[in-house]
Each structure stands twice: as C-alpha cells, then as structure tokens.
Amino acid sequence: MYGTAPLILIILPLLFQIIAGRKAIGETISLKFGTVCLISFFSQIVLSIIAFYVSSYNFNKFLEQNPNSFRCGMGFLGFIMLSLLLTFILVIVIIVQYKIKKSYEK
C-alpha cells in the first residue's frame, strides 16, 4: 500500500501471460502454452498473497512511525478486489490466447 512493490507483484503474472503466452503460441520458446498458463495462474495466486503480506507489513511500519494516524483497513479491501479483478482479466487473456492458438492450428 505504501510502496509500489505490492502492485508490481500482482501485475507480473498478467504481463508474463501476455508475453510468454504469445511466444508459446508462436512456438518461439521451449515452454508449451498449457505450462505458461499454469505458471501464470498459480503465480497470480501466490504473488497476490505475498503482495498482501508486503502491503500489510508496510502499513504496520507506517503506523509505528505515525501513531496518531488513522487505522483504516479499507485499502486492503481495495487491494484484494484489485487482485481478484486482475485474476479475472488473466483468465480472460488465457481464454483469448487459447482461441488464437486453436485458430492457428486449423
């Protein structure tokens, strides 16, 4: 929350899927398309959890340095919703890339 590391962590799997998925469809890398999809989906889950812990740690450090500030956790709810939104977008990207892969095979 008080840094860009959590946001970068939850965006990385989507970027990996877009880049590596495109290369897997064109067969310019050694990974298969299904492997790329599994890596990006599981890394989305794991990195979202890690990003939540990093933002929680940053928030606690901020509260230790500023004890008279507000202690609202509503930002965490927004962070969780952003993570769910990016997971949904990741699934849509996987479906679109799968359709593109099937059209190339015909």
Side-chain angles (χ1 to χ4, degrees), residues 14 41 44 81-95:
L14 181 62
F41 186 72
Q44 178 70 35
M81 288 296 123
L82 178 65
S83 178
L84 288 173
L85 176 69
L86 287 175
T87 303
F88 181 69
I89 291 172
L90 177 67
V91 169
I92 291 174
V93 167
I94 289 172
I95 291 170

Side-chain angles (χ1 to χ4, degrees), residues 1 5 10 20 29 37 47 51 61 84 87 89-90 94 102-103:
M1 295 210 350
I10 63 170
I29 59 174
C37 292
L47 289 179
K61 284 295 182 184
L84 288 173
T87 303
I89 291 172
L90 177 67
I94 289 172
K102 286 297 179 186
S103 72

Side-chain angles (χ1 to χ4, degrees), residues 7-24 29 36 39-41 43-44 47 86-87 89-91 93-94 97:
L7 295 175
I8 291 172
L9 283 175
I10 63 170
I11 292 174
L12 279 177
L14 181 62
L15 293 176
F16 173 77
Q17 177 64 38
I18 291 170
I19 294 168
R22 182 175 49 97
K23 289 185 178 185
I29 59 174
V36 171
I39 289 171
S40 62
F41 186 72
S43 64
Q44 178 70 35
L47 289 179
L86 287 175
T87 303
I89 291 172
L90 177 67
V91 169
V93 167
I94 289 172
Q97 286 182 342

